Structure formats: C-alpha cells, structure tokens
Coordinates of all heavy atoms in Angstrom, one line a residue:
M168 N 0.8 -1.2 0.0 CA 0.0 0.0 0.0 C 0.9 1.3 0.0 O 0.5 2.2 -0.6 CB -0.9 0.0 1.2 CG -2.1 0.9 1.1 SD -3.2 0.3 -0.2 CE -4.7 0.9 0.4
Q169 N 2.0 1.2 0.7 CA 2.9 2.3 0.7 C 3.5 2.6 -0.6 O 3.7 3.8 -1.0 CB 4.1 2.1 1.7 CG 3.6 2.1 3.2 CD 3.4 3.5 3.6 OE1 2.5 4.2 3.1 NE2 4.2 4.0 4.5
I170 N 3.8 1.6 -1.4 CA 4.4 1.8 -2.7 C 3.4 2.5 -3.6 O 3.8 3.4 -4.4 CB 4.8 0.4 -3.3 CG1 6.0 -0.2 -2.5 CG2 5.3 0.6 -4.8 CD1 6.4 -1.6 -2.9
L171 N 2.2 2.1 -3.5 CA 1.1 2.7 -4.4 C 1.0 4.2 -4.0 O 0.8 5.1 -4.8 CB -0.2 2.0 -4.2 CG -1.4 2.5 -5.0 CD1 -1.1 2.5 -6.5 CD2 -2.7 1.8 -4.6
F172 N 1.0 4.5 -2.7 CA 0.9 5.8 -2.2 C 2.0 6.7 -2.7 O 1.8 7.8 -3.2 CB 0.9 5.8 -0.6 CG 0.8 7.2 0.0 CD1 -0.5 7.9 0.0 CD2 1.8 7.9 0.5 CE1 -0.6 9.1 0.5 CE2 1.7 9.1 1.1 CZ 0.5 9.7 1.1
Y173 N 3.3 6.2 -2.6 CA 4.4 7.0 -3.1 C 4.4 7.1 -4.6 O 4.8 8.2 -5.2 CB 5.7 6.4 -2.7 CG 6.0 6.5 -1.2 CD1 6.2 5.4 -0.4 CD2 5.9 7.7 -0.6 CE1 6.5 5.5 1.0 CE2 6.1 7.9 0.8 CZ 6.4 6.8 1.5 OH 6.6 6.9 2.9
F174 N 3.9 6.1 -5.3 CA 3.8 6.2 -6.8 C 2.8 7.3 -7.2 O 3.0 8.1 -8.1 CB 3.3 4.9 -7.4 CG 3.0 5.0 -8.8 CD1 4.0 5.0 -9.8 CD2 1.7 4.9 -9.3 CE1 3.8 5.1 -11.1 CE2 1.4 5.0 -10.7 CZ 2.5 5.1 -11.6
V175 N 1.6 7.4 -6.5 CA 0.6 8.4 -6.8 C 1.1 9.8 -6.4 O 0.9 10.8 -7.1 CB -0.7 8.1 -6.0 CG1 -1.7 9.2 -6.3 CG2 -1.3 6.8 -6.6
V176 N 1.9 9.9 -5.3 CA 2.5 11.2 -4.9 C 3.5 11.7 -6.0 O 3.4 12.8 -6.5 CB 3.2 11.1 -3.6 CG1 4.1 12.3 -3.3 CG2 2.2 10.9 -2.5
V177 N 4.3 10.8 -6.5 CA 5.3 11.2 -7.6 C 4.5 11.6 -8.9 O 4.8 12.6 -9.5 CB 6.3 10.0 -7.9 CG1 7.1 10.3 -9.1 CG2 7.2 9.8 -6.7
L178 N 3.5 10.8 -9.2 CA 2.7 11.1 -10.4 C 2.0 12.4 -10.2 O 1.9 13.2 -11.2 CB 1.7 10.0 -10.7 CG 0.8 10.2 -11.9 CD1 1.6 10.1 -13.1 CD2 -0.3 9.1 -11.9
H179 N 1.5 12.7 -9.0 CA 0.8 13.9 -8.7 C 1.7 15.1 -8.9 O 1.3 16.2 -9.5 CB 0.2 13.9 -7.3 CG -0.6 15.0 -6.9 ND1 -1.9 15.2 -7.4 CD2 -0.5 16.0 -6.1 CE1 -2.4 16.3 -6.9 NE2 -1.6 16.8 -6.1
V180 N 2.9 15.0 -8.4 CA 3.9 16.1 -8.5 C 4.3 16.4 -10.0 O 4.3 17.5 -10.5 CB 5.2 15.8 -7.7 CG1 6.3 16.8 -8.0 CG2 4.8 15.9 -6.2
I181 N 4.5 15.3 -10.7 CA 4.8 15.4 -12.2 C 3.7 16.1 -12.9 O 3.9 17.0 -13.7 CB 5.2 14.1 -12.8 CG1 6.5 13.6 -12.2 CG2 5.3 14.1 -14.3 CD1 6.9 12.2 -12.5
V182 N 2.5 15.6 -12.7 CA 1.3 16.2 -13.4 C 1.1 17.7 -13.0 O 0.8 18.5 -13.8 CB 0.0 15.4 -13.1 CG1 -1.2 16.1 -13.6 CG2 0.2 14.0 -13.8
S183 N 1.4 18.0 -11.7 CA 1.2 19.4 -11.2 C 2.2 20.3 -12.0 O 1.8 21.4 -12.4 CB 1.5 19.5 -9.7 OG 0.6 18.7 -9.0
L184 N 3.4 19.9 -12.1 CA 4.4 20.7 -12.8 C 4.1 20.8 -14.3 O 4.3 21.9 -14.9 CB 5.8 20.1 -12.6 CG 6.4 20.1 -11.2 CD1 7.7 19.4 -11.1 CD2 6.5 21.6 -10.7
F185 N 3.6 19.7 -14.9 CA 3.2 19.7 -16.3 C 2.1 20.7 -16.5 O 2.0 21.4 -17.5 CB 2.9 18.3 -16.7 CG 2.5 18.2 -18.2 CD1 3.5 18.3 -19.2 CD2 1.2 18.1 -18.6 CE1 3.2 18.2 -20.5 CE2 0.9 18.1 -19.9 CZ 1.9 18.1 -20.9
L186 N 1.1 20.6 -15.6 CA -0.1 21.5 -15.7 C 0.3 23.0 -15.6 O -0.2 23.8 -16.3 CB -1.1 21.1 -14.6 CG -2.4 21.9 -14.6 CD1 -3.2 21.7 -15.9 CD2 -3.3 21.4 -13.4
I187 N 1.2 23.3 -14.7 CA 1.7 24.7 -14.6 C 2.4 25.1 -15.9 O 2.1 26.2 -16.4 CB 2.7 24.8 -13.4 CG1 1.9 24.6 -12.1 CG2 3.4 26.1 -13.4 CD1 2.8 24.5 -10.8
G188 N 3.2 24.3 -16.4 CA 3.9 24.6 -17.7 C 3.0 24.8 -18.8 O 3.1 25.7 -19.6
V189 N 2.0 23.9 -19.0 CA 1.0 24.0 -20.1 C 0.2 25.3 -20.0 O -0.1 26.0 -21.0 CB 0.2 22.7 -20.2 CG1 -1.0 22.9 -21.2 CG2 1.0 21.6 -20.5
V190 N -0.2 25.6 -18.8 CA -1.0 26.8 -18.6 C -0.2 28.1 -18.9 O -0.7 29.0 -19.5 CB -1.6 26.9 -17.2 CG1 -2.2 28.2 -16.8 CG2 -2.7 25.8 -17.0
L191 N 1.1 28.1 -18.5 CA 1.9 29.2 -18.8 C 2.2 29.4 -20.2 O 2.5 30.5 -20.7 CB 3.2 29.2 -17.9 CG 3.0 29.4 -16.4 CD1 4.3 29.2 -15.7 CD2 2.4 30.8 -16.2
L192 N 2.2 28.3 -21.0 CA 2.5 28.3 -22.4 C 1.4 28.9 -23.2 O 1.6 29.4 -24.3 CB 2.9 27.0 -23.0 CG 4.3 26.4 -22.6 CD1 4.4 25.0 -23.2 CD2 5.3 27.3 -23.3
Q193 N 0.2 28.8 -22.7 CA -1.0 29.3 -23.5 C -1.0 30.8 -23.6 O -0.6 31.5 -22.7 CB -2.3 28.8 -22.9 CG -2.4 27.3 -22.9 CD -3.8 26.9 -22.3 OE1 -4.6 27.7 -22.1 NE2 -3.9 25.6 -22.2
Q194 N -1.4 31.3 -24.8 CA -1.6 32.7 -25.0 C -3.0 33.1 -24.8 O -3.9 32.3 -25.0 CB -1.2 33.1 -26.4 CG 0.3 33.0 -26.7 CD 0.6 33.5 -28.1 OE1 -0.3 33.6 -28.9 NE2 1.9 33.7 -28.4
G195 N -3.2 34.3 -24.3 CA -4.5 34.8 -24.2 C -5.1 35.1 -25.5 O -4.4 35.0 -26.6
R196 N -6.3 35.6 -25.5 CA -6.9 35.9 -26.8 C -6.3 37.2 -27.3 O -6.2 38.2 -26.7 CB -8.4 36.1 -26.5 CG -9.2 36.0 -27.7 CD -10.7 36.0 -27.4 NE -11.4 35.7 -28.6 CZ -12.5 35.1 -28.7 NH1 -13.1 34.8 -27.6 NH2 -13.1 34.9 -29.9
S197 N -5.9 37.1 -28.6 CA -5.2 38.3 -29.2 C -4.0 38.7 -28.4 O -3.8 39.9 -28.3 CB -6.1 39.4 -29.5 OG -7.2 39.0 -30.4
A198 N -3.2 37.8 -27.9 CA -2.1 38.2 -27.1 C -0.8 38.4 -27.9 O 0.2 38.8 -27.3 CB -1.8 37.2 -26.0
D199 N -0.8 38.2 -29.2 CA 0.4 38.3 -30.0 C 0.5 39.8 -30.4 O -0.3 40.7 -30.0 CB 0.3 37.4 -31.2 CG -0.9 37.6 -32.0 OD1 -1.8 38.4 -31.6 OD2 -1.1 36.9 -33.0
L200 N 1.5 40.1 -31.2 CA 1.8 41.5 -31.5 C 0.7 42.1 -32.4 O 0.4 43.3 -32.2 CB 3.2 41.5 -32.3 CG 3.7 42.9 -32.7 CD1 3.9 43.7 -31.4 CD2 5.0 42.8 -33.4
A201 N 0.1 41.4 -33.3 CA -1.0 41.9 -34.1 C -2.2 42.3 -33.2 O -2.9 43.2 -33.5 CB -1.4 40.9 -35.2
G202 N -2.4 41.5 -32.2 CA -3.6 41.8 -31.3 C -3.4 43.1 -30.5 O -4.4 43.8 -30.2
A203 N -2.2 43.6 -30.4 CA -1.9 44.8 -29.7 C -2.4 46.0 -30.5 O -2.7 47.1 -30.0 CB -0.4 45.0 -29.3
F204 N -2.4 45.9 -31.8 CA -2.8 46.9 -32.7 C -4.2 46.7 -33.3 O -4.6 47.4 -34.3 CB -1.8 47.1 -33.9 CG -0.4 47.5 -33.3 CD1 0.6 46.5 -33.4 CD2 -0.2 48.7 -32.8 CE1 1.9 46.8 -32.9 CE2 1.1 49.0 -32.3 CZ 2.1 48.1 -32.4
G205 N -4.9 45.8 -32.8 CA -6.3 45.5 -33.3 C -6.4 44.5 -34.4 O -7.5 44.2 -34.8
G206 N -5.3 44.0 -34.9 CA -5.4 43.0 -35.9 C -5.8 41.6 -35.4 O -5.6 41.3 -34.2
Q207 N -6.3 40.8 -36.3 CA -6.7 39.5 -35.9 C -5.7 38.4 -36.4 O -6.1 37.2 -36.3 CB -8.1 39.2 -36.3 CG -9.2 40.1 -35.7 CD -9.2 39.9 -34.2 OE1 -9.1 38.8 -33.7 NE2 -9.3 41.0 -33.5
G208 N -4.6 38.8 -36.9 CA -3.6 37.8 -37.3 C -3.0 37.1 -36.2 O -3.1 37.5 -35.0
S209 N -2.3 36.0 -36.5 CA -1.6 35.2 -35.5 C -0.2 34.9 -35.9 O 0.1 34.7 -37.0 CB -2.4 33.9 -35.2 OG -1.8 33.2 -34.3
Q210 N 0.7 34.9 -34.9 CA 2.1 34.6 -35.2 C 2.5 33.3 -34.7 O 3.7 33.0 -34.5 CB 2.9 35.7 -34.6 CG 2.7 37.1 -35.2 CD 3.5 38.1 -34.5 OE1 4.2 37.9 -33.5 NE2 3.4 39.4 -34.9
T211 N 1.6 32.4 -34.4 CA 2.0 31.1 -33.8 C 2.5 30.2 -34.9 O 2.2 30.3 -36.1 CB 0.8 30.4 -33.1 OG1 -0.2 30.2 -34.1 CG2 0.2 31.3 -32.0
A212 N 3.3 29.2 -34.5 CA 3.9 28.3 -35.5 C 2.9 27.3 -36.0 O 3.1 26.8 -37.1 CB 5.1 27.6 -34.8
F213 N 1.9 27.0 -35.2 CA 0.9 26.0 -35.6 C -0.3 26.6 -36.3 O -1.3 25.9 -36.5 CB 0.4 25.2 -34.3 CG 1.5 24.5 -33.7 CD1 2.0 24.9 -32.4 CD2 2.1 23.4 -34.2 CE1 3.0 24.2 -31.8 CE2 3.1 22.7 -33.6 CZ 3.6 23.1 -32.4
G214 N -0.3 27.9 -36.5 CA -1.5 28.5 -37.0 C -2.3 29.1 -35.9 O -2.0 28.9 -34.7
P215 N -3.4 29.8 -36.3 CA -4.1 30.5 -35.2 C -4.9 29.6 -34.2 O -5.0 29.9 -33.1 CB -5.1 31.4 -36.0 CG -5.2 30.8 -37.3 CD -3.9 30.1 -37.6
R216 N -5.4 28.4 -34.6 CA -6.2 27.6 -33.8 C -5.5 26.3 -33.4 O -5.9 25.7 -32.4 CB -7.5 27.4 -34.4 CG -8.4 28.6 -34.5 CD -8.7 29.3 -33.2 NE -9.3 28.4 -32.3 CZ -9.3 28.6 -31.0 NH1 -8.8 29.7 -30.5 NH2 -9.9 27.8 -30.2
A217 N -4.6 25.8 -34.2 CA -4.0 24.5 -34.0 C -3.3 24.4 -32.6 O -3.4 23.4 -31.9 CB -3.1 24.1 -35.1
A218 N -2.5 25.4 -32.3 CA -1.7 25.4 -31.1 C -2.7 25.5 -29.9 O -2.5 24.9 -28.8 CB -0.7 26.5 -31.0
A219 N -3.7 26.3 -30.0 CA -4.7 26.4 -29.0 C -5.4 25.1 -28.7 O -5.7 24.8 -27.6 CB -5.7 27.5 -29.3
N220 N -5.7 24.4 -29.7 CA -6.4 23.1 -29.6 C -5.5 22.1 -28.8 O -5.9 21.4 -28.0 CB -6.8 22.5 -30.9 CG -8.0 23.3 -31.4 OD1 -8.8 23.9 -30.7 ND2 -8.2 23.2 -32.7
V221 N -4.2 22.0 -29.2 CA -3.3 21.1 -28.6 C -3.1 21.4 -27.2 O -3.2 20.6 -26.3 CB -1.9 21.1 -29.4 CG1 -0.9 20.3 -28.6 CG2 -2.1 20.5 -30.8
L222 N -2.8 22.7 -26.9 CA -2.6 23.1 -25.5 C -3.9 23.0 -24.7 O -3.8 22.7 -23.5 CB -2.1 24.6 -25.5 CG -0.6 24.7 -26.0 CD1 -0.3 26.2 -26.0 CD2 0.3 24.0 -25.2
T223 N -5.0 23.3 -25.3 CA -6.3 23.1 -24.5 C -6.5 21.7 -24.2 O -6.9 21.4 -23.0 CB -7.4 23.7 -25.4 OG1 -7.2 25.0 -25.7 CG2 -8.7 23.6 -24.6
R224 N -6.2 20.8 -25.1 CA -6.4 19.3 -24.8 C -5.4 18.9 -23.7 O -5.8 18.1 -22.8 CB -6.3 18.5 -26.0 CG -7.4 18.7 -27.0 CD -7.3 17.8 -28.2 NE -8.4 18.0 -29.1 CZ -8.5 17.5 -30.3 NH1 -7.5 16.7 -30.7 NH2 -9.5 17.8 -31.1
L225 N -4.2 19.3 -23.8 CA -3.2 18.9 -22.8 C -3.6 19.5 -21.4 O -3.4 18.8 -20.4 CB -1.8 19.5 -23.2 CG -1.1 18.8 -24.3 CD1 0.2 19.5 -24.7 CD2 -0.8 17.3 -24.0
T226 N -4.1 20.7 -21.4 CA -4.5 21.3 -20.1 C -5.7 20.5 -19.6 O -5.7 20.2 -18.4 CB -4.9 22.8 -20.3 OG1 -3.8 23.5 -20.9 CG2 -5.3 23.4 -19.0
T227 N -6.7 20.1 -20.4 CA -7.8 19.4 -19.9 C -7.4 18.1 -19.4 O -7.9 17.7 -18.3 CB -8.8 19.2 -21.1 OG1 -9.2 20.5 -21.6 CG2 -10.1 18.5 -20.6
W228 N -6.6 17.3 -20.1 CA -6.2 16.0 -19.6 C -5.3 16.0 -18.4 O -5.5 15.2 -17.5 CB -5.6 15.2 -20.8 CG -6.6 14.6 -21.7 CD1 -6.9 15.1 -23.0 CD2 -7.5 13.6 -21.4 NE1 -7.9 14.3 -23.5 CE2 -8.3 13.4 -22.6 CE3 -7.7 12.8 -20.3 CZ2 -9.3 12.5 -22.6 CZ3 -8.7 11.8 -20.4 CH2 -9.5 11.7 -21.5
S229 N -4.4 17.0 -18.3 CA -3.6 17.1 -17.2 C -4.4 17.5 -15.9 O -4.2 17.1 -14.8 CB -2.4 18.0 -17.4 OG -2.8 19.3 -17.7
A230 N -5.4 18.4 -16.1 CA -6.3 18.8 -15.0 C -7.1 17.6 -14.5 O -7.3 17.4 -13.3 CB -7.2 19.9 -15.5
I231 N -7.6 16.7 -15.5 CA -8.4 15.5 -15.1 C -7.5 14.6 -14.3 O -7.9 14.1 -13.2 CB -8.9 14.8 -16.3 CG1 -10.1 15.7 -16.9 CG2 -9.4 13.4 -16.0 CD1 -10.5 15.2 -18.3
I232 N -6.2 14.4 -14.8 CA -5.3 13.5 -14.1 C -5.0 14.1 -12.7 O -4.9 13.3 -11.7 CB -4.1 13.2 -14.9 CG1 -4.4 12.4 -16.2 CG2 -3.0 12.4 -14.1 CD1 -3.3 12.3 -17.2
F233 N -4.8 15.4 -12.6 CA -4.5 16.0 -11.3 C -5.7 15.8 -10.3 O -5.4 15.5 -9.2 CB -4.3 17.5 -11.6 CG -4.1 18.3 -10.3 CD1 -2.8 18.3 -9.8 CD2 -5.1 19.0 -9.7 CE1 -2.6 19.1 -8.6 CE2 -4.9 19.7 -8.6 CZ -3.6 19.8 -8.0
M234 N -6.9 15.9 -10.8 CA -8.0 15.7 -9.9 C -8.1 14.2 -9.4 O -8.4 14.0 -8.3 CB -9.3 16.1 -10.6 CG -9.5 17.6 -10.7 SD -11.0 18.1 -11.4 CE -10.5 19.0 -12.8
I235 N -7.9 13.3 -10.4 CA -7.9 11.9 -10.0 C -6.8 11.6 -9.0 O -7.1 10.8 -8.0 CB -7.8 11.0 -11.3 CG1 -9.1 11.2 -12.1 CG2 -7.6 9.6 -10.9 CD1 -9.0 10.5 -13.5
T236 N -5.6 12.1 -9.2 CA -4.5 11.8 -8.3 C -4.8 12.4 -6.9 O -4.5 11.9 -5.9 CB -3.2 12.2 -8.8 OG1 -3.2 13.6 -9.1 CG2 -2.8 11.4 -10.0
S237 N -5.4 13.6 -6.9 CA -5.8 14.3 -5.6 C -6.8 13.4 -4.9 O -6.6 13.2 -3.6 CB -6.4 15.7 -5.9 OG -5.4 16.5 -6.5
L238 N -7.8 13.0 -5.5 CA -8.8 12.1 -4.9 C -8.2 10.8 -4.4 O -8.5 10.3 -3.3 CB -10.0 11.9 -5.8 CG -10.9 13.1 -6.0 CD1 -11.9 12.8 -7.1 CD2 -11.5 13.6 -4.8
S239 N -7.3 10.2 -5.3 CA -6.7 9.0 -4.9 C -5.8 9.1 -3.7 O -5.7 8.2 -2.8 CB -5.8 8.5 -6.1 OG -6.6 8.3 -7.2
L240 N -5.0 10.2 -3.6 CA -4.2 10.4 -2.4 C -5.0 10.6 -1.2 O -4.6 10.1 -0.1 CB -3.3 11.7 -2.6 CG -2.1 11.5 -3.6 CD1 -1.5 12.9 -3.8 CD2 -1.1 10.6 -3.0
T241 N -6.2 11.2 -1.3 CA -7.0 11.4 -0.1 C -7.5 10.0 0.3 O -7.5 9.7 1.5 CB -8.2 12.3 -0.4 OG1 -7.7 13.5 -0.9 CG2 -9.1 12.5 0.7
V242 N -8.0 9.2 -0.6 CA -8.5 7.9 -0.2 C -7.4 7.0 0.3 O -7.6 6.3 1.3 CB -9.2 7.2 -1.5 CG1 -9.5 5.8 -1.2 CG2 -10.4 8.0 -1.9
L243 N -6.2 7.0 -0.3 CA -5.1 6.2 0.2 C -4.7 6.6 1.6 O -4.3 5.8 2.4 CB -4.0 6.2 -0.8 CG -4.2 5.5 -2.1 CD1 -3.0 5.7 -3.1 CD2 -4.3 4.0 -1.8
F244 N -4.7 7.9 1.8 CA -4.3 8.4 3.1 C -5.2 8.1 4.2 O -4.9 7.7 5.3 CB -4.1 9.9 3.1 CG -3.4 10.5 4.3 CD1 -2.1 10.3 4.5 CD2 -4.2 11.2 5.2 CE1 -1.5 10.8 5.6 CE2 -3.6 11.8 6.3 CZ -2.2 11.6 6.5
V245 N -6.5 8.1 3.9 CA -7.5 7.8 4.9 C -7.5 6.3 5.2 O -7.7 5.9 6.3 CB -8.9 8.3 4.4 CG1 -10.0 7.7 5.3 CG2 -9.0 9.8 4.4
R246 N -7.3 5.5 4.2 CA -7.3 4.0 4.4 C -6.1 3.6 5.1 O -6.0 2.5 5.6 CB -7.4 3.3 3.0 CG -8.8 3.4 2.5 CD -8.9 2.5 1.3 NE -10.2 2.6 0.7 CZ -10.6 1.9 -0.4 NH1 -9.7 1.1 -1.0 NH2 -11.8 2.0 -0.8
S247 N -5.0 4.4 5.1 CA -3.8 4.0 5.9 C -4.1 3.9 7.4 O -3.4 3.2 8.1 CB -2.6 4.9 5.5 OG -2.8 6.2 6.1
G248 N -5.1 4.7 7.8 CA -5.4 4.6 9.2 C -4.5 5.4 10.2 O -4.8 5.4 11.4
K249 N -3.5 6.0 9.7 CA -2.6 6.8 10.5 C -3.2 8.2 10.6 O -3.7 8.8 9.7 CB -1.3 6.9 9.8 CG -0.6 5.6 9.7 CD 0.7 5.7 9.0 CE 1.4 4.3 8.8 NZ 2.6 4.4 8.0
S250 N -3.1 8.8 11.8 CA -3.6 10.1 12.1 C -2.3 11.0 12.1 O -1.5 10.9 12.9 CB -4.3 10.2 13.4 OG -4.6 11.5 13.7
H251 N -2.3 11.9 11.1 CA -1.2 12.9 11.0 C -1.7 14.3 11.1 O -1.4 15.1 10.2 CB -0.4 12.7 9.7 CG 0.2 11.4 9.6 ND1 1.3 11.0 10.3 CD2 -0.1 10.3 8.8 CE1 1.7 9.8 10.0 NE2 0.8 9.3 9.1
S252 N -2.4 14.6 12.1 CA -3.0 15.9 12.3 C -2.0 16.8 13.0 O -1.2 16.4 13.9 CB -4.3 15.9 13.1 OG -4.8 17.2 13.3
V253 N -2.0 18.1 12.7 CA -1.2 19.0 13.4 C -1.6 19.2 14.9 O -0.8 19.4 15.8 CB -1.3 20.4 12.7 CG1 -0.5 21.5 13.4 CG2 -0.8 20.3 11.3
L254 N -2.9 19.0 15.1 CA -3.4 19.1 16.5 C -3.2 17.9 17.4 O -3.5 18.0 18.6 CB -4.9 19.5 16.4 CG -5.3 20.7 15.6 CD1 -6.8 20.9 15.5 CD2 -4.6 21.9 16.2
D255 N -2.6 16.9 16.9 CA -2.4 15.7 17.7 C -1.4 15.9 18.8 O -1.5 15.3 19.9 CB -1.9 14.5 16.9 CG -3.0 13.9 16.0 OD1 -4.2 14.1 16.3 OD2 -2.7 13.2 15.1
N256 N -0.4 16.7 18.6 CA 0.7 16.9 19.6 C 0.5 18.1 20.5 O 1.3 18.5 21.3 CB 2.0 17.1 18.9 CG 2.4 15.8 18.1 OD1 2.0 14.7 18.5 ND2 3.1 16.0 17.0
I257 N -0.7 18.8 20.4 CA -1.0 20.0 21.3 C -1.5 19.5 22.6 O -2.5 18.7 22.7 CB -1.9 20.9 20.6 CG1 -1.3 21.5 19.3 CG2 -2.4 22.0 21.5 CD1 -2.1 22.4 18.6
K258 N -0.9 20.0 23.7 CA -1.4 19.7 25.0 C -2.5 20.7 25.4 O -2.4 21.9 25.1 CB -0.3 19.7 26.0 CG 0.8 18.7 25.7 CD 1.9 18.8 26.7 CE 3.0 17.8 26.3 NZ 4.2 17.9 27.1
P259 N -3.5 20.3 26.1 CA -4.6 21.3 26.5 C -4.0 22.3 27.5 O -3.1 22.0 28.3 CB -5.6 20.4 27.1 CG -5.0 19.1 27.5 CD -3.8 18.9 26.5
A260 N -4.5 23.5 27.4 CA -4.1 24.5 28.3 C -4.5 24.2 29.7 O -5.6 23.6 30.0 CB -4.7 25.9 27.9
S261 N -3.7 24.6 30.7 CA -4.0 24.3 32.1 C -5.1 25.2 32.5 O -5.2 26.4 32.2 CB -2.8 24.5 32.9 OG -2.3 25.8 32.9
Q262 N -6.0 24.6 33.3 CA -7.1 25.4 33.8 C -6.7 26.3 35.0 O -6.1 25.8 36.0 CB -8.2 24.5 34.3 CG -8.8 23.6 33.2 CD -9.7 24.5 32.2 OE1 -10.2 25.5 32.6 NE2 -9.8 24.0 31.0
S263 N -6.9 27.5 35.0 CA -6.6 28.4 36.1 C -7.9 28.8 36.8 O -8.9 28.9 36.2 CB -5.8 29.6 35.6 OG -6.7 30.4 34.7
A264 N -7.7 29.1 38.1 CA -8.8 29.5 38.9 C -9.2 30.9 38.5 O -8.4 31.7 38.2 CB -8.5 29.4 40.3
P265 N -10.5 31.2 38.6 CA -10.9 32.6 38.3 C -10.4 33.6 39.4 O -10.1 33.2 40.5 CB -12.4 32.5 38.4 CG -12.8 31.3 39.1 CD -11.6 30.4 38.9
A266 N -10.2 34.8 39.0 CA -9.6 35.8 39.9 C -10.6 36.1 41.0 O -11.8 36.1 40.8 CB -9.4 37.1 39.1
K267 N -10.1 36.3 42.2 CA -10.9 36.7 43.3 C -11.4 38.1 43.2 O -10.6 39.0 42.9 CB -10.2 36.4 44.6 CG -9.8 35.0 44.9 CD -9.1 34.8 46.2 CE -8.7 33.4 46.3 NZ -7.9 33.2 47.6
P268 N -12.7 38.3 43.5 CA -13.1 39.7 43.4 C -12.5 40.6 44.5 O -12.3 40.2 45.6 CB -14.6 39.6 43.6 CG -14.9 38.3 44.2 CD -13.7 37.4 43.9
A269 N -12.2 41.8 44.2 CA -11.7 42.8 45.2 C -12.7 43.2 46.2 O -13.9 43.5 45.8 CB -11.1 44.0 44.5
Q270 N -12.4 43.3 47.4 CA -13.4 43.7 48.4 C -13.1 45.1 49.0 O -12.2 45.6 49.2 CB -13.4 42.7 49.6 CG -13.9 41.4 49.1 CD -14.0 40.4 50.2 OE1 -13.7 40.7 51.3 NE2 -14.4 39.2 49.8

C-alpha cells in the first residue's frame, strides 16, 4: 500500500508541474503582436487555432489526471489509518482558577 501511495505522490507532482507549464505556455486571446494593434492575425507556429487546440487538450487531460490523483491520495491516506494531524501533539491549556473579586 505504501508503494502505491508513493507512486501516486510522484505522479501527482509530475502532473502538477506539467499543468503549470502548459497553462503558462498558452496565450490569451489576441495576445500576440498583431492583437496589440487591433489585428486578428496570429504569429503562432501551428497557425491561429491548432496550437490552442493542442494546448487546450493537454490542459484538460492534465487537469483531469490532477483531480484523479488528488482524490486517490485522499482515499489512500484515509485508508492507511494513520492520524497525522497538526493538532495531535498539542497539550490542552492548564485550567486556572478565576480571579478573586476585590473587596
């Protein structure tokens, strides 16, 4: 079970980095030089829509894989039965007596 958990963690990190890269590679609408002057031309190597389709599909599939690995990590972590909460090691505050009223 541990091997599967570590495999999914590694896959999750790789997909996360890939998703960040693919999103940063995409251009916004009319983000090229012609768009700055109101033209609708495109300066991409794949043509105006081909690169957008490839990057959009890569983004979609990497986002799907990212969500699946996120859910898988949650399920695997819960099934491991280990409690790794930050609050596990906190000791309760000592109870102090209330202040005596002044007479």
